[in-house]
Amino acid sequence: MTAAEIVFVLLGVVALAAAVLVVTTRQLVRAALYLVLSFGAIAACFLVLTAELVAWVQVLIYVGAVVVLLLFGIMLTRAPIGPTSDLDSRNRPAAIVVAVATAGVLVTVLVRGFGDAYVDLGEPSTGSASGIGANIFRYWVLPFEILSVLLLAALVGAIVLSRTDIGPPKDGDG
Amino acid sequence: MHGYFGAYGLVALLLVVGAVFVTVALTANRLLRPARPTPQKLLTYECGVDPVGGGWAQSYVRYYVFTFLYVVFAVDAVFLFPWATVFAAPGFGVATLVEMFVFLGFLAVGILYAWRKGVLSWA
C-alpha cells in the first residue's frame, strides 16, 4: 500500500466511526458534532483522491452550511441538551429495511457504474476547479440549472413555513 | 515539500503542530497551577451573576430562514469558482456566461421573494 492509500483507509475508518456515533449517541447536539467529524473526514478523503474542489465544497457546504441548518433545526425543537432516553423510534424495523434497501441501491450503482474507474493520483487536474468547471458547463448544464430551481423552491418553502403571517388563503400571491 | 501531496502534507503538519501546541500549553498549565476548587469557583460564569435556568433556549423559527439564505449563497459561491476558471476559456464563451446568469437569476428571485416578504428586515 502506498502512503496515500493508508491515509485514505484511516480517514475512511474515522468517517465510518463518526457516522456510527451520529446514530448511536443519546445527545442530539453531539450527534450533529459527530456529523461534522464525519463530513470532515470525507472531505479529507476527497483531498487524498486529489479532488481538491470537491473537498473544499464538502467543507464549505456540508461542514459549514448543512450542519448549521441541522443545529438550527435542533435548536428549534424542545429537545433537551442532555442525554435523551426516548430518541429511539419505534419504527426501527421499517428503518432497517429502508436503510438496507438504500445501501443496496447505492452500492449497486457505484459498483456497476464506477467499478473499474481509475484515478491517476499523480496528475491532480481532473479534480481542480477548472476540470470540474469544464465538466459542469460542457456536459452537466441542465442539472446545474435545475439545482437553482431546487434551491429557489426550498428557500420559498422555508420562508412560507417560518412565517405564520404568510398563508395561502390570505392574499392569493403568497 | 512540493507537488500536490507535499503541499497538503504541509497543511496536515501545521494542523498537527497546532494540536500539539494546544495540548502542551494546557497540560503545562494543569501541572503548574494550584487547584483549590470551591463550589463558587466551579459555577458557570455568566456575566458575574449566578446562572439562572438551564443551558437550553429554544430559538425562533425566523432565524432558520437566515441560515437557509446562507446555504443558498454558499452553493451560489461554490459554483462561481469552477465557472470563473472556464467561462473565458476557448469553447465556452457567451453561452456559459448566460447559463451562470440564469442560475443567478433563479436565486435572485428567491432573494427578491424574501425581501418582498420582509424576511430581510430585522424589526
Side-chain angles (χ1 to χ4, degrees):
Chain A
M1 284 175 97
T2 64
E5 284 169 340
I6 293 170
V7 172
F8 185 81
V9 169
L10 289 178
L11 287 169
V13 169
V14 170
L16 196 64
V20 169
L21 282 171
V22 169
V23 289
T24 53
T25 180
R26 294 214 171 277
Q27 310 206 11
L28 270 180
V29 179
R30 286 192 191 174
L33 297 180
Y34 282 128
L35 201 58
V36 172
L37 184 62
S38 185
F39 283 154
I42 292 171
C45 282
F46 283 134
L47 268 189
V48 174
L49 293 176
T50 67
E52 216 174 355
L53 181 79
V54 182
W56 295 115
V57 166
Q58 173 87 9
V59 170
L60 184 69
I61 302 291
Y62 282 89
V63 179
V66 169
V67 169
V68 168
L69 268 185
L70 279 177
L71 281 174
F72 262 85
I74 293 173
M75 284 172 68
L76 286 174
T77 67
R78 272 183 226 282
I81 204 165
T84 319
S85 57
D86 54 351
L87 269 183
D88 284 338
S89 165
R90 281 183 304 259
N91 299 328
R92 182 170 285 200
I96 288 174
V97 170
V98 170
V100 168
T102 311
V105 169
L106 284 177
V107 169
T108 313
V109 167
L110 281 179
V111 170
R112 299 282 293 218
F114 303 98
D116 49 359
Y118 177 75
V119 178
D120 184 10
L121 295 187
E123 194 186 336
S125 63
T126 47
S128 66
S130 54
I132 302 264
N135 262 316
I136 291 176
F137 292 101
R138 188 163 288 152
Y139 303 114
W140 305 103
V141 174
L142 187 63
F144 169 70
E145 301 294 356
I146 290 174
L147 173 69
S148 69
V149 180
L150 182 72
L151 281 172
L152 174 66
L155 179 62
V156 172
I159 291 172
V160 169
L161 284 178
S162 67
R163 290 288 298 266
T164 48
D165 55 327
I166 304 174
K170 264 187 189 168
D171 46 3
D173 66 340
Chain B
M1 288 216 181
H2 42 80
Y4 178 85
F5 285 107
Y8 276 107
L10 209 59
V11 174
L13 193 68
L14 203 65
L15 280 177
V16 170
V17 168
V20 168
F21 181 80
V22 170
T23 313
V24 167
L26 288 181
T27 312
N29 194 348
R30 180 174 283 268
L31 292 176
L32 290 175
R33 72 181 181 217
R36 296 188 198 88
T38 65
Q40 271 78 28
K41 282 185 188 170
L42 293 176
L43 212 59
T44 305
Y45 184 81
E46 188 182 325
C47 305
V49 293
D50 287 350
V52 181
W56 189 252
Q58 198 174 355
S59 77
Y60 294 103
V61 74
R62 58 175 308 175
Y63 298 138
Y64 194 77
V65 178
F66 290 102
T67 50
F68 208 89
L69 281 171
Y70 166 61
V71 173
V72 169
F73 277 117
V75 173
D76 183 359
V78 150
F79 278 102
L80 283 175
F81 289 114
W83 173 75
T85 59
V86 297
F87 85 95
F92 287 97
V94 182
T96 308
L97 199 69
V98 171
E99 281 154 8
M100 179 47 90
F101 276 93
V102 169
F103 180 81
L104 292 179
F106 273 114
L107 293 188
V109 171
I111 307 294
L112 197 70
Y113 179 79
W115 179 56
R116 291 288 294 162
K117 290 297 174 186
V119 172
L120 300 181
S121 62
W122 190 252

